[in-house]
Amino acid sequence: MFISYENMYGEYRNAIGVQEEIIKKRREDLKKAREKCNFKEIKRLNALLLILCQEKSELEERARGLREYIS
């Protein structure tokens, strides 16, 4: 199956949106963990957020490169 570059770019943009929602939810969880002084959960969420933000950054970089290639 062939997917156009424009469609692929759209898929990347959608994936970035999904990633942003996941990050938002985990930040809310982190805030709750901080309020409860749950240090184990704080550590886990901080590690998870680091990975999620790195993944989002990679998605944005690839989308940017694809957009430049399309233009």
Side-chain angles (χ1 to χ4, degrees):
M1 182 171 105
F2 177 75
I3 183 169
S4 71
Y5 291 122
E6 289 82 7
N7 288 343
M8 191 182 304
Y9 175 73
E11 291 296 320
Y12 273 107
R13 295 305 310 165
N14 289 338
I16 291 166
V18 169
Q19 197 77 350
E20 288 171 344
E21 285 299 313
I22 294 170
I23 290 169
K24 180 181 176 184
K25 289 177 184 175
R26 295 298 77 88
R27 284 187 174 146
E28 291 169 0
D29 293 343
L30 179 59
K31 182 179 178 183
K32 292 174 187 174
R34 286 181 176 154
E35 289 170 355
K36 295 179 181 179
C37 296
N38 185 343
F39 297 109
K40 186 175 180 179
E41 184 67 359
I42 291 169
K43 182 178 178 181
R44 185 187 77 80
L45 289 167
N46 277 329
L48 180 59
L49 278 165
L50 178 63
I51 293 167
L52 291 170
C53 289
Q54 287 173 339
E55 289 175 348
K56 179 178 167 272
S57 178
E58 290 172 7
L59 287 168
E60 290 171 333
E61 183 179 330
R62 290 179 182 158
R64 200 171 21 258
L66 191 55
R67 185 184 67 223
E68 289 175 8
Y69 181 78
I70 293 170
S71 299

